[in-house]
Amino acid sequence: MRLHNKVIIVTGGGTGIGLGIVRCCAREGAAVVLAQRRVELAEQEAASLREDGHRALALRCDVSSRADVQALVARTVAEFGRLDAMVNNAALTGASVEARPFLEETDEHWGRIIDINLNGAFICTQVAARQMVTQGGGGSIINISSVAQYAAQEHAAPYCASKAGLDGLTKAAAIELAAHNIRVNGVAPGDIYTEASADVVESAADRGATGKFFRFTPLNRRGSPEEIGNVVAFLASDESSFVTGATWLVDGGFLSY
């Protein structure tokens, strides 16, 4: 119960990796807030968690809207009394990225990916940090990135740029927020099996990707959302009290060669 009495928001917490994070944090004793644009998905999962005896709340939030994020944090504090960790997981990924060749990229599509994946993380980090400073006691902010932060992927220029941008955001926020005992870290998942990424290789081939740049995962399997959640639970806990400004690779060895 390393997260006993802690309150954690997970954006995009109703599906995929976000849901794996929520379940792990709840099992470790945290009160969890599932923030999702499609709030009906989060409500179903939150209800299931409450049935199992956990404290869970589902709230609608578009992370690219500062007003939505401010309302999310305010409602969380009103419900649970404080905010101890913000997990910036919400992102356009998998099929929702609508990947396309670089020469066919548009300003509109590029902007939409950056707005959710990078600007959203900035807004959530800033709003959460302001609440943590106000309440005192520090906190933890965790950005869910991707191996695309380090290794480019075909037909995914805005996605790769958004995830690489998270590295700079994580480090810059970490050094400035350290004075308030707020730690900022990242987690870069590798090939994780979710509904959104179930046929990622096939869909890339259908779009005309050459396949030359696909990597092999040395552990010879896809990861699970809960395997990301276990690392996030550690970073949200006091056990990681001397960890900040770092991005943790959880990729089964994907970037080891």
Side-chain angles (χ1 to χ4, degrees), residues 11 62-66 69 86-93 97 109-127 141-146 149 157-173 184:
T11 65
D62 176 351
V63 296
S64 67
S65 164
R66 183 171 289 271
V69 175
M86 169 70 83
V87 182
N88 294 319
N89 167 76
L92 293 176
T93 187
V97 171
H109 181 255
W110 178 280
R112 186 162 64 89
I113 302 295
I114 298 297
D115 208 26
I116 299 294
N117 294 13
L118 182 56
N119 295 347
F122 156 67
I123 293 170
C124 288
T125 296
Q126 189 181 64
V127 173
I141 297 170
I142 302 154
N143 295 318
I144 306 303
S145 183
S146 166
Q149 171 178 321
Y159 180 77
C160 293
S162 71
K163 294 304 185 179
L166 278 179
D167 183 52
L169 172 63
T170 297
K171 291 175 180 175
V184 187

Side-chain angles (χ1 to χ4, degrees), residues 25-48:
C25 290
R27 285 198 297 267
E28 293 287 351
V32 290
V33 177
L34 293 70
Q36 191 93 13
R37 280 196 295 178
R38 295 177 294 167
V39 72
E40 63 279 359
L41 296 175
E43 286 173 340
Q44 294 172 10
E45 298 297 342
S48 178

Side-chain angles (χ1 to χ4, degrees), residues 112-205:
R112 186 162 64 89
I113 302 295
I114 298 297
D115 208 26
I116 299 294
N117 294 13
L118 182 56
N119 295 347
F122 156 67
I123 293 170
C124 288
T125 296
Q126 189 181 64
V127 173
R130 286 172 174 170
Q131 171 59 35
M132 292 170 182
V133 170
T134 297
Q135 69 192 22
S140 178
I141 297 170
I142 302 154
N143 295 318
I144 306 303
S145 183
S146 166
V147 288
Q149 171 178 321
Y150 303 102
Q153 300 171 2
E154 282 185 285
H155 297 182
Y159 180 77
C160 293
S162 71
K163 294 304 185 179
L166 278 179
D167 183 52
L169 172 63
T170 297
K171 291 175 180 175
I175 63 171
E176 292 201 45
L177 296 177
H180 303 284
N181 197 31
I182 298 171
R183 298 177 296 104
V184 187
N185 291 288
V187 175
D191 185 11
I192 306 298
Y193 183 86
T194 66
E195 183 178 346
S197 67
D199 60 349
V200 61
V201 173
E202 294 81 358
S203 62

Side-chain angles (χ1 to χ4, degrees), residues 1 15 17 29 50 67 82 110 163 170 209 226 241 248 256:
M1 301 292 284
T15 60
I17 288 176
R50 288 192 296 269
R82 60 184 294 108
W110 178 280
K163 294 304 185 179
T170 297
E226 285 73 17
S241 56
W248 291 56
S256 296

Side-chain angles (χ1 to χ4, degrees), residues 216-222 227 251-254:
F216 173 75
T217 299
L219 287 182
N220 200 29
R221 65 176 177 85
R222 304 183 77 175
E227 288 177 303
D251 68 347
F254 187 85

